[in-house]
Structure formats: structure tokens, C-alpha cells
Amino acid sequence: MSNQSLQLTPSLYQYLYNVGLREHPVLKELREVTSHHQYRVMQISAEQGQLMAMLAKLINARRTIEIGVFTGYSALAVALALPDDGDLIACDINSEYTNIAKLYWEKAGVSDRIKLHLAPAMETLQQLIESGEENQFDMAFIDADKTGYDAYYEQCLQLIRPGGLILIDNVLWSGRVADENINDEDTRALKELNRKIHQDNRVDMMMLPISDGLTIAIKR
Ligand code: SAH
Ligand code: CA
């Protein structure tokens, strides 16, 4: 026994998938389709999708934001957890990826809850702020270009209501954030943001070692 997060062996990981996960059939199908995509590693894991859906339910989320859609798995996981009148503002710049997403959102019957904005996320978020949507959202998920994360975090802090959640993906960056010799642009951006959020008294925070690292911040 150990109080450290377990190293999951392949068979233990399979066990987790077998008895620890309830995945909507369309989510499962989309995960299968994306597993053949050149950039499949960008998709969140099924257990992370389930965690995000559960967090959305816990806070009764109705209005949410996603920055970085790809083939739509994380957006679908969250959209399925929203009430019928819920909505998810989905930001991406790549229509080739999001055309796949749209097929599966439709198939799962939640496409009316998801509003895709094909534009740089910073512009979409700025438009929301300028149209008076400050404090109007319950949850945001940041998972696009890493050098944009800090700006997205600041914009989300404006858009999320007190008590709402900001989730930030890839904060452990395959371990590179803990290596002082790795300082490429993306790694540096993540290192700096991680340090900033740790000290940020606008939020309560924790970093979870799920998948590639997920920070959960609650806006105070
Ligand atoms: N959350 C997704 C994975 C996102 S991958 C999932 O679980 O499957 C990162 C995505 O960010 C890519 O689809 C990429 O097109 C998008 N992206 C990159 N730069 C962006 C920008 N400036 N604005 C919006 N989206 C961007
Ligand atoms: Ca990611």
C-alpha cells in the first residue's frame, strides 16, 4: 500500500475502464474514431471526460466554455452532463477537426447545446466579455495552444461566476514542467502559469495527476 497516486499497469487501467467508467455509447464511438486520427493523443481520456462531466453536475453547471475542441470528445462529455437548456461555447480554429465533432454532437442529440465559434479563442472570449457576459458562466475548460493559456485563464476569470470552475489541461506536460532544463515556449508558458495559479488568491486550486495533469480552480 502507498498513499501516492498509483502507477497504473495496463491491466489495472483496463480494470478501471471495465468497472469504473460509464461512457455514453456515442462518446465511446467518437473515442474509437479519434483513436485512428494522426493527433489522437490530443484527446482527453475517458476517465477525465467522466470527471469533467461529474464536476459539471456537482455544481449544476448550465453555461460552460471550452477552449480547444479537436474532434469534440471533451465537449460532448460535458454537454451530456448539462440540462436541456444548457449551453457550451466551443472555441477552435480548425474546421477539419470540428466537422468530426459536429457529427457526433448531432448523433448524441446535444448539438443544440453546443455553439461552435471557429475563431481564435482570445477573440471569442473577448467578444463575450464585451457583450456583457461577465460572471455568467459556471465552468470553463482550457485545452488549446499552451502559450495562450495565461490569457485564456484571465478571460475565463472574468466570464466565470464566483463558485464556478476553471479546468486547465496538460499542466504536468508529460513531466517537462518539473525539469529545469526544458524551457521551450510551451513548457515555459505552463511552468509560469502553474506558478501563478498556485499563488493566485482569486481562486481555490488543486492540481490533479489525472491524464497529463488537470488543474481545478474555483473562482472565489
Ligand atoms: N479538448 C480536446 C482536445 C483539444 S486539442 C479533446 O478532448 O479532444 C487542442 C485544440 O486547440 C486543437 O483542436 C486546435 O485546433 C485548437 N487551437 C489551437 N490554437 C487555438 C486558438 N488560438 N484558438 C482556438 N483553438 C485553438
Ligand atoms: Ca489536452
Side-chain angles (χ1 to χ4, degrees):
M1 267 232 294
S2 158
N3 61 4
Q4 289 199 348
S5 293
L6 276 180
Q7 289 294 328
L8 292 174
T9 58
S11 65
L12 194 51
Y13 199 52
Q14 190 57 52
Y15 180 81
L16 181 77
Y17 267 64
N18 292 345
V19 305
L21 200 66
R22 294 182 186 165
E23 194 180 29
H24 188 284
V26 179
L27 274 175
K28 194 167 183 182
E29 202 183 326
L30 175 55
R31 190 157 58 82
E32 162 58 25
V33 166
T34 306
S35 73
H36 304 293
H37 194 284
Q38 181 185 5
Y39 298 117
R40 57 186 169 271
V41 296
M42 296 206 300
Q43 185 196 73
I44 62 160
S45 63
E47 67 271 28
Q48 184 176 335
Q50 192 178 32
L51 171 68
M52 289 168 54
M54 196 157 270
L55 289 171
K57 283 197 176 177
L58 272 171
I59 63 164
N60 283 317
R62 194 176 70 78
R63 302 195 66 198
T64 63
I65 299 171
E66 172 165 294
I67 303 158
V69 173
F70 188 41
T71 61
Y73 187 93
S74 48
L76 181 55
V78 171
L80 285 165
L82 300 178
D84 284 341
D85 67 343
D87 68 56
L88 186 153
I89 305 284
C91 307
D92 207 293
I93 46 176
N94 188 310
S95 59
E96 193 190 315
Y97 302 158
T98 55
N99 281 340
I100 302 171
K102 285 196 279 188
L103 285 177
Y104 290 87
W105 297 342
E106 190 72 46
K107 196 164 183 181
V110 296
S111 53
D112 56 328
R113 297 180 198 168
I114 306 179
K115 292 177 190 66
L116 178 65
H117 293 252
L118 272 179
M122 252 173 250
E123 288 175 15
T124 302
L125 298 174
Q126 199 51 42
Q127 276 161 16
L128 288 173
I129 292 166
E130 280 163 18
S131 59
E133 296 270 29
E134 279 171 70
N135 297 304
Q136 296 304 306
F137 289 88
D138 303 301
M139 186 167 118
F141 178 48
I142 301 176
D143 191 20
D145 52 310
K146 307 312 164 201
T147 51
Y149 266 32
D150 185 66
Y152 304 145
Y153 174 69
E154 289 298 330
Q155 289 175 309
C156 286
L157 268 177
Q158 296 183 61
L159 291 164
I160 298 296
R161 64 164 167 89
L165 302 179
I166 302 176
L167 309 179
I168 305 160
D169 201 35
N170 302 103
V171 292
L172 293 178
W173 207 226
S174 306
R176 292 191 285 273
V177 289
D179 187 333
E180 59 181 31
N181 297 313
I182 304 181
N183 287 298
D184 59 276
E185 246 191 340
D186 287 347
T187 307
R188 225 172 46 229
L190 287 165
K191 283 178 176 177
E192 282 165 15
L193 182 62
N194 284 343
R195 250 187 238 112
K196 167 171 149 175
I197 295 177
H198 188 220
Q199 303 297 327
D200 191 346
N201 55 27
R202 297 173 295 178
V203 297
D204 294 308
M205 64 78 72
M206 78 169 296
M207 206 183 261
L208 265 184
I210 187 172
S211 300
D212 195 29
L214 180 71
T215 286
I216 302 179
I218 308 178
K219 179 173 166 178
R220 287 180 170 162

